[in-house]
Amino acid sequence: MGVSVSVLASGSRGNCAIVSSSSTRILLDAGISCRETFKRMKALGEDPHSFSAILVTHEHSDHIYGLQVLARKTNVAIFMTGATHQAWARSVRDEKGECPTLKKLEMFASGNVFQIGDIEVMPFTIPHDAADPVGFAFRTEGVKIGFATDLGYMPASVSYHLRHCDVLVLESNHDLEMLRGGPYPWSVKQRVMSRVGHLSNEALAQFFAKDYDGEAAYVVLAHLSEQNNHPEIARGAAERALAPRQTLLRNRVMLASQTVPLDPIRI
Ligand SMILES: [Zn+2]
Ligand SMILES: [Zn+2]
């Protein structure tokens, strides 16, 4: 079976991915409904009840929308930081001010490595306007997988955690020109462009050209804006930056989609 990565959904209408080893399967974010998560898993030939944990990057609804129902239906452990949990609990309080409980809640802290089955998980802080947002580096069976979406820029501390990855899933949110000339109100444009907003195609290309070690077999562009980006524009920007280091075995660019699950990448 080996190690695989699937992106079930990616973008501002919901994020969800799966990281699997031969014996452990982790759902990364629960931003689409439980029904849709199961439907997409089945479409990829995966058993919807086969994962052992759900990891949450941050409390924005495109990352947690399906969390409560998924937690109830699967009864697996939910991992998030304490501050993310508090922010999540505030956002899902009912009229009486009561918070639903997550039966199997596990807390982790950014920078502290932990283990889920045979997958080692390293959470690291990312610059984004949430309570305690994180990206993840996973290690299992000699393979390293890096995830970083929802970040306003690429700090050295994040590129450090993305070294020596075999698969990288990185945000390529918007084309700067499309965002500037696009339909969003100015305040939203400013938020997206800010240091705690989202990573542009141009900023990601700069990372590829300057800070990236070039070692990944696959680079997945994720969290693309539907209004302010186009898959071929994002791909073009990434491929131009990666071109000097693209070979048959290195730096193959793939695009995660909001609507269609990405075929599992097997390593
Ligand atoms: Zn976010
Ligand atoms: Zn998001």
Side-chain angles (χ1 to χ4, degrees), residues 130-199:
D132 189 16
V134 293
F136 292 105
F138 302 96
R139 279 179 211 266
T140 185
E141 300 178 30
V143 171
K144 184 176 176 189
I145 299 157
F147 266 88
T149 69
D150 300 73
L151 64 171
Y153 69 105
M154 182 68 78
S157 55
V158 172
S159 50
Y160 172 84
H161 286 288
L162 300 177
R163 294 176 318 153
H164 312 309
C165 280
D166 300 283
V167 179
L168 278 172
V169 181
L170 299 177
E171 176 160 50
S172 193
N173 181 262
H174 55 277
D175 172 81
L176 276 171
E177 231 172 274
M178 282 179 80
L179 177 68
R180 285 198 193 106
Y184 283 7
W186 175 240
S187 58
V188 180
K189 289 181 187 179
Q190 270 191 313
R191 187 230 147 203
V192 172
M193 278 191 275
S194 79
R195 300 274 279 180
V196 288
H198 290 277
L199 203 67

Side-chain angles (χ1 to χ4, degrees), residues 64-251:
I64 51 120
Y65 175 77
L67 183 65
Q68 273 172 276
V69 180
L70 268 163
R72 203 171 59 235
K73 292 228 165 127
T74 62
N75 204 28
V76 299
I78 316 289
F79 290 77
M80 59 177 97
T81 74
T84 296
H85 178 250
Q86 279 177 4
W88 170 80
R90 274 197 302 274
S91 72
V92 293
R93 264 191 304 226
D94 61 20
E95 329 60 88
K96 287 186 222 128
E98 279 176 40
C99 299
T101 46
L102 293 169
K103 264 204 282 175
K104 293 188 179 168
L105 176 66
E106 302 272 351
M107 308 271 200
F108 63 81
S110 176
N112 290 351
V113 74
F114 60 97
Q115 197 80 25
I116 300 176
D118 64 353
I119 302 180
E120 184 192 279
V121 183
M122 170 53 100
F124 51 85
T125 296
I126 53 171
H128 189 54
D129 53 2
D132 189 16
V134 293
F136 292 105
F138 302 96
R139 279 179 211 266
T140 185
E141 300 178 30
V143 171
K144 184 176 176 189
I145 299 157
F147 266 88
T149 69
D150 300 73
L151 64 171
Y153 69 105
M154 182 68 78
S157 55
V158 172
S159 50
Y160 172 84
H161 286 288
L162 300 177
R163 294 176 318 153
H164 312 309
C165 280
D166 300 283
V167 179
L168 278 172
V169 181
L170 299 177
E171 176 160 50
S172 193
N173 181 262
H174 55 277
D175 172 81
L176 276 171
E177 231 172 274
M178 282 179 80
L179 177 68
R180 285 198 193 106
Y184 283 7
W186 175 240
S187 58
V188 180
K189 289 181 187 179
Q190 270 191 313
R191 187 230 147 203
V192 172
M193 278 191 275
S194 79
R195 300 274 279 180
V196 288
H198 290 277
L199 203 67
S200 67
N201 298 343
E202 292 84 349
L204 181 62
Q206 204 170 18
F207 163 74
F208 285 143
K210 292 199 174 144
D211 300 318
Y212 168 52
D213 61 17
E215 290 182 24
Y218 296 93
V219 174
V220 181
L221 308 183
H223 216 302
L224 268 69
S225 164
E226 290 173 301
Q227 268 90 28
N228 307 306
N229 209 349
H230 188 281
E232 290 316 311
I233 292 179
R235 180 194 288 280
E239 289 195 334
R240 274 191 301 280
L242 290 167
R245 290 185 284 179
Q246 266 183 326
T247 67
L248 276 179
L249 299 176
R250 292 258 185 273
N251 298 310

Side-chain angles (χ1 to χ4, degrees), residues 15 58 62-63 150 198 223:
N15 295 274
H58 65 294
D62 58 319
H63 298 260
D150 300 73
H198 290 277
H223 216 302

